[in-house]
Amino acid sequence: MTVPLDDDSLQALKIAFSYMPKAIEVNSFEYGDRVDIVLAQIEAVREVLIANSVDPDEVYGEINDDIAPNSSY
């Protein structure tokens, strides 16, 4: 079970997640043998966001509301 994050830590995680590649963008050409590791890291961050009642698919739009489309889907 994940311990809930305080507001500042959760905000920092959201910002960091908005700069992470999307799982669909991770390929062996750019990441070589690290593909599985990078995908696992992305999933780990997604799980912490979900455990803190944050929709990972909406984080980019929340963090960058001035340049994001209405939905990140």
Side-chain angles (χ1 to χ4, degrees):
M1 183 169 158
T2 303
V3 177
L5 297 175
D6 62 82
D7 290 341
D8 289 339
S9 297
L10 185 57
Q11 184 67 11
L13 185 62
K14 289 178 184 180
I15 292 168
F17 185 71
S18 72
Y19 288 96
M20 291 179 79
K22 305 284 186 245
I24 197 165
E25 299 169 345
V26 178
N27 59 61
S28 59
F29 179 73
E30 290 187 39
Y31 293 92
D33 294 337
R34 296 186 45 80
V35 169
D36 292 335
I37 294 168
V38 173
L39 290 173
Q41 291 169 340
I42 293 168
E43 187 57 30
V45 174
R46 288 178 61 84
E47 288 175 10
V48 172
L49 289 170
I50 290 168
N52 282 272
S53 302
V54 175
D55 182 352
D57 296 322
E58 296 297 326
V59 168
Y60 183 82
E62 179 183 335
I63 297 300
N64 300 294
D65 61 346
D66 59 327
I67 59 171
N70 289 339
S71 177
S72 297
Y73 293 101

